[in-house]
Amino acid sequence: MTTVSDLDRERAVELVQQAYADGRLSPAELELRLEQALTATSSHELEPAVAGLPDEWVRLESIGGRITRTGDWNVPRRLRIDSEYGKVKLDLSQAHIPYAQVEIELCLTYGGATIILPAGASADADGLRTEWGRVTCQASRRSAGGPHVRITGKMPYGRLAVRTARK
C-alpha cells in the first residue's frame, strides 16, 4: 500500500470537481468523493474517490519527427508527449484553453521542446526530471488571470524552453 502525496490528492480533487461540473455526479456524491480524496492516506483509500471517473490523457507520439501545435487548437487538460529523437513545439499563445490548469507530461529522450504560453499564463517545470538536459523557464510561477501549465515527465538528454509569447 503506497502513501498518497499532496499532488495525488490534488489530482483526485480536480477529477471529482470536473466530473461534477460535467454533470456526472450529484451534489451528495461530490461531497462524499471530495471527503474521500482529501482524507486519503494511501492509494487504496484514494481509489473510491476517483472510481469510474475519466482521467484521459491525450497522447502524441513520434520517434524522430517533429510534434508541432500552433495557431488555434484545443489544448487538452492532460497532454502526454513521447518522442525519442524529435523536437516538440507547443504554442499555446493563440490556442483555446478551457481549463485553469493544464498538465503536460514530456517523455523526450534526446529531443528538445519549446512551450510558448499566452499572456497572463503561468508555468512550473518542477516535476520534470533531467540528467544531462537543461530546463529554461522564463514564465511566471504565479498566474495573472490565465491558465497555469504544470510540466512533468523526463528528459534525460533533452532541453526544454518555456516562455511567454512575444509581441
Side-chain angles (χ1 to χ4, degrees), residues 83-162:
S83 180
E84 195 72 26
Y85 298 100
K87 293 191 178 221
V88 175
K89 180 180 180 184
L90 300 176
D91 186 344
L92 310 177
S93 64
Q94 296 176 7
H96 175 65
I97 308 172
Y99 309 105
Q101 182 166 300
V102 172
E103 289 184 53
I104 299 175
E105 183 178 5
L106 297 173
C107 296
L108 310 178
T109 305
Y110 293 102
T114 301
I115 299 174
I116 303 167
L117 303 173
S122 60
D124 76 74
D126 294 343
L128 183 66
R129 293 186 331 255
T130 63
E131 292 173 20
W132 297 95
R134 183 176 68 194
V135 176
T136 305
C137 186
Q138 298 174 340
S140 172
R141 291 184 57 94
R142 283 186 244 147
S143 178
H148 180 73
V149 178
R150 182 183 305 166
I151 303 159
T152 61
K154 60 184 185 276
M155 294 179 67
Y157 301 99
R159 294 182 186 179
L160 170 65
V162 180

